[in-house]
Amino acid sequence: ASSLKFLLFILVLLFLSESWGQRLNTDNKKPSCDHCNQQLFCNCSHNGFTSVPSVTGSALSLDLSFNKITAVTNDDLTGHTQLKVLDLHGNGLAEIHPSAFDSLWSLEQLDLSYNQLTMLNYKWFSKLEALQQLNLLNNPYSYLGSPPVFGALVRLRKLALGGPSLNELRRGDLSGVTQLEELTVHANNLTSYDAGTLAHIWPLGHVTLSLHGPFLTNVTLAGAMIDDVSYPETPIILKDIHLIGVQSVQPFSKAAKRRIRYLTLHNVSVSDEAIVDLLVVLDGVPLTKLTIEDVTLTGEGWWEKASKTDHKSIDEFHIRNVVILDVYKFTSLLQLGFLLEYPRRVSVINAKVFVMPCLTSHLLKNLQYLDLSDNLLTDLTLVETLCGTTQTLMDIRVLNFSGNALKSLSTVSRLVTKFSKLTHLDISRTGYSFMPSSCPWPSTLRFLNISGAKFTAITPCLPKTLEVLDLSNNNLKDFTLLLPVLRELYLSGNKFLRLPSGLSFPNLQTLTIQSNTLNMFGKTDLQSYQRLENLQAGQNKFVCSCDFVSFVQLELRGGGGIELTDGVDSYICDSPFYLQGQPVDQVRLSVVMCHQVLFVSVSCGLALFVAILLSVVLWRIHAFWYLKMIWAWLKTKRNSRQRQQRRDKADTEALISFDAFVSYSERDAGWVENFLVPELEEPSESSSGTRSASHQPLTLCLHKRDFLPGQWIVDNIMNAIERSRRTVFILSENFVQSDWCRYELDFSHFWLFEGHATGEAAILILLEPLSKDDVPKRFYKLRKLMSSTTYLEWPQEDEKREEFWRSLRNALRGNDN
């Protein structure tokens, strides 16, 4: 009993260990991600993965952003030697094994931003010699670490580092980084910086510094950082800063001494005093481009205190997304002639500008580019801004009034007619709904953008001089206007059912007509385009017919003369239903669907060939004869059954009218009429002079004499056989070769040997020597009968004929004896 308990205990342990092993294997099973396109770009973001999933080893790009991956182990990425892009940002990643990236020899881009990395390990990057872009932003590390983490990244060109926890940067932290195209440093809470930390990076293409804290509490530190990255050819972006007074603009003095040319302030709050001080600090600096984005103006625009400063070098001034705290007190900037008379390019975007006074426009003496998009201009205020017909802004070449509340196209065309140098006009995203029949335009106008309006039809209002025309996102259904020099036409987001005729655009090279109601297009639709090179017609509801699929696949492979530049992913089947959602380049249609005429022709040809071949085979095996016999038999059987139903079974003997039905060849009729009939039907006496029973006359059925005229031959034959006790076949060469005899024999054979009569009912007489091989093979039962039944041969000697007739009479009266 104890041994039994021990055995049960061992079995329970084995069962539990196996169950736990299976559970552990299930729990440790690596998840997989198969969201990879044809370019081997695998998008596994937003999938809730808690560990790095299994992905094809040939992947070139792997996006694992916005999952829940908290750790990367040493074998999670093993085998991805071809991977070029790895994105792990937004995961809460807190731990990376020192050798996790060792196998990524080809990696060029790595994004580890917005995670929970509290420290950086130089071993992560020690094998990434091909790495060109690295993003480490917004992780909670407070310093970069030692030894220098970037020492092995000899090809690094774009680097982003820092975050809310970074509080110190030491000399040597960026050792190994010798040149960069882009450097981004988020140091809003930086408290310690060694001068020269960023100074050794040269050439330096583009710098972005977030310095909110230093500008407020440690302007010396901010100045040192700006000084290290200030080069005349290096654009500098300063983010998240507040310029309140003189103290806050002091860091710019370092940049001024380095004679910077390109300065951008992003997410900045600035007072009137700070603007004046900044203009003073930048006095004489060869600054050519000044950009301010996401700016909050706390003053009223009184900046004339800096009127004696020199800013003649400013060629471009761009301001975007402006918030004016006291907009009703803000000045019209008339006192800023010392600033406005020099720039050639000015942008004031999304600044709630409802009018620019004509006097202010007069100050823009050198202006060639003016962008007032996304403001509050109307047709009336636009007249004031452009000073009506007054000769103002005469050097203007580019105007952008997109995103304003303009409604009259004729007003705009009339206002810009005076600009003899105007080449580009953007009046998109406005309220235009009607296009006049004619409009005045400057003869120099080449580029016109009226997208995002509400036009339903095109008129000759459009200028003939256009080379580029954008009419996207309207309600157009057709385009028949002749534009002889047009090179690019953009018609996306309309309601075109077909491509417009290319005869209206003899010089068109680029056509974009995405997101319309196109069902299909083909080579014939594009033949009228003489010079078309680039076509973007994707994102339509395509009917994937054979011609369309064949054409698109050819063009996508580059086999045609036109390039579909919007890529394979833009061409998706909408119908038929079984192809819905499938990329056109992956569609494979059957030959039956695509070549119906050819398929029907080949099928009919094959069917005809098979029919002929089958007919020959059937003829060779006498199948037609069998079919004819079956049909005749069925018909005769039906007639016989009908007759039988009308007769009483007791009267069966009364139906017998003949002793024998004689089947013979017409060429043998002489023997039948001269020998057989006289001998059997005429009374004869025996040698003793008396008439015996065997010499009683017999009644024969002959087709010449006894068949009913006008009745179907088959019915005559079958009636004769039914009404005769015996059937006598007069066999000879004439019988075998005669069509009539063969026809008669066919039906007689069918009747006799299909169960209506036995072999005894048939009597064979051979007029001449004839073997069974001389009988057609289709009469197989007759041939069999000749092999198994004794037949009578007509003797050539006279002395033997008496015996022949006696044997024949006995055979005919056999059932009576």
Side-chain angles (χ1 to χ4, degrees):
S2 60
S3 61
L4 181 59
K5 291 181 180 180
F6 179 74
L7 180 60
L8 290 174
F9 177 73
I10 294 298
L11 291 175
V12 170
L13 286 180
L14 290 175
F15 175 77
L16 290 176
S17 63
E18 183 177 356
S19 299
W20 277 104
Q22 292 177 352
R23 182 174 179 180
L24 288 174
N25 289 336
T26 302
D27 293 342
N28 293 331
K29 185 177 180 180
K30 195 172 185 179
S32 63
C33 175
D34 56 358
H35 303 307
C36 302
N37 61 17
Q38 292 181 331
Q39 290 74 36
L40 297 176
F41 291 0
C42 302
N43 184 3
C44 304
S45 63
H46 296 88
N47 277 275
F49 292 118
T50 57
S51 61
V52 176
S54 175
V55 182
T56 173
S58 57
L60 298 178
S61 176
L62 178 56
D63 186 353
L64 294 171
S65 60
F66 299 107
N67 284 288
K68 299 177 181 179
I69 303 172
T70 59
V72 180
T73 65
N74 61 333
D75 60 349
D76 278 344
L77 297 168
T78 301
H80 289 283
T81 56
Q82 302 181 41
L83 193 65
K84 294 184 179 297
V85 179
L86 176 59
D87 190 347
L88 284 163
H89 85 272
N91 272 282
L93 184 61
E95 182 181 353
I96 300 176
H97 191 275
S99 59
F101 303 141
D102 283 0
S103 63
L104 307 182
W105 308 319
S106 303
L107 194 66
E108 297 178 356
Q109 300 179 30
L110 176 59
D111 191 344
L112 298 173
S113 61
Y114 294 90
N115 283 295
Q116 297 298 319
L117 299 174
T118 57
M119 61 171 293
L120 304 180
N121 192 334
Y122 75 97
K123 293 182 179 180
W124 298 344
F125 316 117
S126 60
K127 301 294 180 64
L128 304 183
E129 296 181 356
L131 194 67
Q132 299 178 20
Q133 300 181 29
L134 177 59
N135 190 345
L136 298 169
L137 289 174
N138 293 317
N139 281 278
Y141 52 84
S142 58
Y143 58 93
L144 295 185
S146 180
V149 295
F150 311 120
L153 305 180
V154 294
R155 297 186 182 180
L156 193 63
R157 294 297 176 265
K158 296 181 180 181
L159 175 61
L161 58 90
S165 299
L166 183 65
N167 54 41
E168 68 174 46
L169 283 175
R170 300 300 181 188
R171 186 185 295 270
D173 280 351
L174 277 75
S175 179
V177 181
T178 56
Q179 56 179 319
L180 290 175
E181 295 174 4
E182 291 185 17
L183 173 63
T184 300
V185 180
H186 285 192
N188 288 327
N189 296 314
L190 195 68
T191 58
S192 177
Y193 177 81
D194 289 348
T197 299
L198 304 177
H200 69 280
I201 303 175
W202 177 258
L204 187 55
H206 190 283
V207 178
T208 300
L209 300 178
S210 292
L211 299 173
H212 175 70
F215 262 90
L216 290 178
T217 62
N218 194 339
V219 294
T220 303
L221 186 152
M225 290 189 66
I226 295 174
D227 184 45
D228 282 350
V229 298
S230 294
Y231 301 99
E233 300 300 328
T234 300
I236 297 177
I237 299 177
L238 298 178
K239 298 176 61 176
D240 307 323
I241 60 176
H242 293 281
L243 303 178
I244 305 301
V246 177
Q247 186 73 12
S248 61
V249 301
Q250 288 306 310
F252 290 99
S253 61
K254 300 289 186 180
K257 292 179 181 179
R258 301 292 292 270
R259 304 184 68 80
I260 62 172
R261 295 183 181 179
Y262 312 102
L263 177 62
T264 298
L265 304 179
H266 183 75
N267 191 22
V268 57
S269 175
V270 59
S271 64
D272 285 346
E273 294 80 7
I275 290 179
V276 171
D277 292 336
L278 181 61
L279 292 175
V280 171
V281 168
L282 298 177
D283 183 19
V285 176
L287 189 67
T288 59
K289 182 177 180 180
L290 176 60
T291 302
I292 304 176
E293 296 185 1
D294 300 323
V295 57
T296 299
L297 299 177
T298 61
E300 299 177 1
W302 299 105
W303 307 332
E304 66 276 5
K305 292 181 180 179
S307 59
K308 295 183 179 181
T309 56
D310 180 9
H311 299 287
K312 296 179 181 178
S313 61
I314 296 181
D315 187 65
E316 299 184 35
F317 175 71
H318 305 285
I319 184 168
R320 180 192 297 269
N321 302 334
V322 181
V323 175
I324 303 175
L325 295 184
D326 200 347
V327 65
Y328 296 106
K329 293 183 179 181
F330 206 80
T331 67
S332 60
L333 305 181
L334 292 178
Q335 77 281 9
L336 299 182
F338 69 98
L339 287 176
L340 300 180
E341 62 178 317
Y342 302 112
R344 291 185 303 145
R345 299 172 63 88
V346 172
S347 298
V348 183
I349 303 171
N350 191 22
K352 295 183 174 56
V353 175
F354 59 90
V355 66
M356 184 170 70
C358 179
L359 294 177
T360 302
S361 300
H362 277 295
L363 298 176
L364 301 169
K365 297 178 181 180
N366 294 315
L367 195 65
Q368 297 179 5
Y369 176 101
L370 177 60
D371 186 349
L372 294 176
S373 58
D374 297 311
N375 282 291
L376 303 176
L377 296 174
T378 65
D379 294 324
L380 184 61
T381 59
L382 184 63
V383 173
E384 173 65 19
T385 300
L386 297 181
C387 301
T389 58
T390 306
Q391 299 298 303
T392 305
L393 304 175
M394 298 311 295
D395 285 334
I396 200 72
R397 289 167 172 77
V398 178
L399 284 174
N400 188 346
F401 299 128
S402 63
N404 283 279
L406 305 179
K407 295 184 178 180
S408 174
L409 183 60
S410 59
T411 299
V412 173
S413 67
R414 186 179 69 255
L415 289 173
V416 301
T417 303
K418 65 180 180 180
F419 300 132
S420 58
K421 298 180 181 180
L422 184 67
T423 59
H424 293 64
L425 177 61
D426 188 343
I427 45 177
S428 61
R429 297 182 292 114
T430 52
Y432 299 134
S433 59
F434 172 73
M435 187 176 293
S437 58
S438 62
C439 306
W441 299 100
S443 60
T444 55
L445 190 61
R446 297 291 181 268
F447 303 84
L448 179 60
N449 186 352
I450 325 180
S451 62
K454 301 176 183 178
F455 291 124
T456 58
I458 296 300
T459 72
C461 171
L462 296 177
K464 303 288 186 181
T465 59
L466 290 179
E467 297 180 3
V468 178
L469 175 61
D470 191 346
L471 288 169
S472 304
N473 301 311
N474 280 280
N475 295 314
L476 302 175
K477 297 180 180 179
D478 198 7
F479 197 128
T480 57
L481 182 65
L482 176 63
L483 297 175
V485 296
L486 193 68
R487 294 184 292 105
E488 300 178 18
L489 178 59
Y490 301 91
L491 296 173
S492 297
N494 282 282
K495 298 180 180 179
F496 284 88
L497 295 174
R498 60 184 61 85
L499 295 179
S501 173
L503 298 176
S504 301
F505 323 109
N507 288 294
L508 194 68
Q509 299 175 12
T510 299
L511 174 61
T512 300
I513 191 167
Q514 297 174 320
S515 302
N516 276 268
T517 53
L518 290 177
N519 289 327
M520 64 181 69
F521 60 91
K523 186 176 181 180
T524 54
D525 298 309
L526 298 173
Q527 286 179 343
S528 59
Y529 291 89
Q530 303 174 13
R531 302 182 60 186
L532 190 64
E533 299 175 358
N534 303 311
L535 175 64
Q536 295 184 6
Q539 302 173 23
N540 280 286
K541 296 184 179 299
F542 292 118
V543 176
C544 284
S545 65
C546 297
D547 293 339
F548 174 73
V549 169
S550 175
F551 172 77
V552 172
Q553 290 180 349
L554 177 64
E555 296 298 333
L556 289 174
R557 291 193 300 266
I562 298 174
E563 182 179 0
L564 300 179
T565 54
D566 45 353
V568 298
D569 295 336
S570 297
Y571 295 85
I572 306 296
C573 295
D574 185 67
S575 64
F577 182 76
Y578 70 92
L579 291 176
Q580 193 173 63
Q582 188 171 344
V584 176
D585 69 312
Q586 298 179 12
V587 171
R588 299 294 181 267
L589 297 176
S590 64
V591 176
V592 178
M593 178 178 293
C594 294
H595 304 283
Q596 293 183 356
V597 175
L598 177 62
F599 177 76
V600 171
S601 301
V602 172
S603 300
C604 291
L606 289 175
L608 181 61
F609 173 76
V610 171
I612 294 174
L613 182 63
L614 184 62
S615 299
V616 172
V617 172
L618 292 176
W619 177 77
R620 293 286 296 177
I621 64 175
H622 309 291
F624 295 113
W625 179 83
Y626 285 109
L627 293 175
K628 182 171 66 175
M629 291 302 98
I630 291 173
W631 178 75
W633 162 241
L634 291 175
K635 183 173 181 180
T636 304
K637 185 177 182 181
R638 185 183 70 249
N639 294 339
S640 176
R641 186 181 298 112
Q642 292 174 354
R643 291 194 298 270
Q644 187 67 23
Q645 290 174 355
R646 293 193 297 265
R647 297 169 183 171
D648 189 78
K649 293 182 179 180
D651 296 334
T652 301
E653 283 296 321
L655 296 174
I656 303 301
S657 303
F658 304 99
D659 293 301
F661 168 64
V662 183
S663 176
Y664 60 94
S665 168
E666 193 65 33
R667 294 182 180 181
D668 297 328
W671 183 86
V672 172
E673 295 171 357
N674 296 325
F675 290 93
L676 182 66
V677 172
E679 184 66 27
L680 298 181
E681 287 193 339
E682 295 178 3
S684 61
E685 296 180 356
S686 64
S687 59
S688 61
T690 63
R691 181 178 298 174
S692 64
S694 60
H695 284 71
Q696 291 295 324
L698 300 172
T699 305
L700 302 179
C701 180
L702 305 177
H703 67 265
K704 271 187 176 182
R705 184 184 65 191
D706 299 311
F707 277 11
L708 296 177
Q711 191 173 11
W712 189 39
I713 183 66
V714 176
D715 286 341
N716 271 315
I717 293 173
M718 294 304 176
N719 287 333
I721 294 174
E722 280 183 327
R723 298 168 60 193
S724 302
R725 289 189 177 90
R726 305 283 186 272
T727 299
V728 178
F729 291 100
I730 311 300
L731 302 180
S732 66
E733 287 289 343
N734 295 329
F735 185 94
V736 173
Q737 297 176 1
S738 171
D739 292 337
W740 166 254
C741 289
R742 289 177 62 188
Y743 190 67
E744 185 178 65
L745 184 59
D746 288 347
F747 293 102
S748 302
H749 168 271
F750 200 82
W751 172 268
L752 290 173
F753 307 117
E754 290 298 329
H756 290 275
T758 64
E760 297 176 354
I763 300 173
L764 306 182
I765 298 177
L766 272 67
L767 291 183
E768 55 189 32
L770 187 69
S771 67
K772 67 172 184 174
D773 295 332
D774 295 326
V775 179
K777 292 182 179 180
R778 63 181 179 273
F779 305 132
Y780 65 95
K781 289 190 176 181
L782 181 58
R783 289 161 58 90
K784 182 178 180 181
L785 186 64
M786 291 181 65
S787 300
S788 60
T789 303
T790 303
Y791 46 81
L792 298 174
E793 295 187 18
W794 171 250
Q796 299 299 323
E797 300 83 0
D798 292 341
E799 60 272 13
K800 295 182 179 181
R801 292 179 179 175
E802 182 66 27
E803 181 63 26
F804 170 82
W805 294 118
R806 184 169 51 252
S807 298
L808 177 59
R809 287 190 182 92
N810 290 337
L812 291 173
R813 298 183 184 277
N815 291 339
D816 298 328
N817 293 337

